Amino acid sequence: MTSPVALLALDLDDTLLRADLSFSSHTRSVLKRAEAQGLVIVLASGRAPAAMERYARELGMHKRPGFMIANNGVTILKTDTAEVISDAHIPIEPALVVYDLVSAEGLPVQVYDGDTIYVSCRNEYADQDQKLTGLRQVHVENFRSMIAMGQRKMVIPGDPMLLRPLETILKNTVGDHVTIFTSKPYFLEILPPNSGKG
């Protein structure tokens, strides 16, 4: 009997990956059985493509047609060719407003490109992100200029007690122009409008 389900999109962190950031043999086995039944497996993550690549390769996704949804839905790639088929950027003016408000609160901002996390100032959360993703971290002095060049995703790392009221302020200020949400209690994310893994 053919399954009415054609595609199975799954998150990596806190879903497919164990605490040590690896796949269990059971997870691998279940995914292989699902593919054998004709389902297309899609990895959908908030991670940047470079931080998802090794997991796609471990599952052999680079050997067959399929898709990888990265940056919380901002970037969509083909798994077999690495061709980017969709890639959005945050509108520059709202991004600068976000950066200025966040900087005034004394909080850091980070953006991602390739295998690098660029940070406005070093912080413990960016260090955790570096360990989690395997990306390298670079501090940028004139971060506002980097924002003005256009970015796919901005992350404001910080204490959840500070991020909750900041999220409300940002939604009231630029919420009509960007997507704003908390991905982990200590990460407030700013994405292009209408973005999301779904």
Side-chain angles (χ1 to χ4, degrees):
M1 183 171 112
T2 308
S3 169
V5 177
L7 182 145
L8 182 59
L10 298 159
D11 189 19
L12 285 172
D13 298 299
D14 305 320
T15 304
L16 286 182
L17 299 180
R18 297 183 292 190
D20 67 356
L21 303 179
S22 69
F23 295 115
S24 70
S25 57
H26 176 72
T27 296
R28 287 174 191 272
S29 167
V30 168
L31 293 176
K32 282 184 181 176
R33 282 199 314 265
E35 286 184 320
Q37 292 175 10
L39 271 73
V40 175
I41 303 299
V42 175
L43 297 183
S45 176
R47 290 175 178 241
M52 296 175 68
E53 172 90 16
R54 83 172 229 219
Y55 297 108
R57 286 192 164 277
E58 281 184 41
L59 296 174
M61 296 174 73
H62 63 294
K63 296 177 182 175
R64 59 186 175 274
F67 302 95
M68 197 165 61
I69 300 168
N71 293 322
N72 272 320
V74 174
T75 308
I76 302 173
L77 307 98
K78 290 186 176 181
T79 54
D80 55 340
T81 63
E83 175 191 352
V84 175
I85 59 171
S86 177
D87 196 31
H89 287 75
I90 305 167
I92 291 172
E93 286 307 314
L96 290 171
V97 169
V98 168
Y99 178 73
D100 291 341
L101 283 168
V102 170
S103 293
E105 294 295 321
L107 289 167
V109 177
Q110 52 196 59
V111 298
Y112 303 77
D113 190 35
D115 65 350
T116 306
I117 305 168
Y118 293 98
V119 297
S120 61
C121 62
R122 296 207 178 269
N123 62 87
E124 64 179 295
Y125 302 101
D127 292 344
Q128 287 177 8
D129 199 11
Q130 183 177 5
K131 288 177 190 167
L132 177 74
T133 61
L135 302 178
R136 66 189 185 108
Q137 184 182 157
V138 173
H139 173 247
V140 175
E141 287 295 330
N142 190 350
F143 205 83
R144 194 175 197 277
S145 294
M146 180 170 242
I147 297 297
M149 291 170 17
Q151 299 299 326
R152 294 172 182 88
K153 166 170 117 164
M154 297 167 66
V155 173
I156 299 123
D159 184 321
M161 296 297 285
L162 298 174
L163 294 184
R164 278 195 287 275
L166 178 62
E167 181 174 3
T168 301
I169 291 166
L170 291 176
K171 283 182 175 177
N172 289 334
T173 308
V174 294
D176 292 341
H177 307 286
V178 296
T179 300
I180 302 169
F181 70 100
T182 302
S183 59
K184 290 194 178 285
Y186 47 85
F187 280 160
L188 180 59
E189 299 206 14
I190 313 299
L191 303 176
N194 304 313
S195 294
K197 284 182 279 193

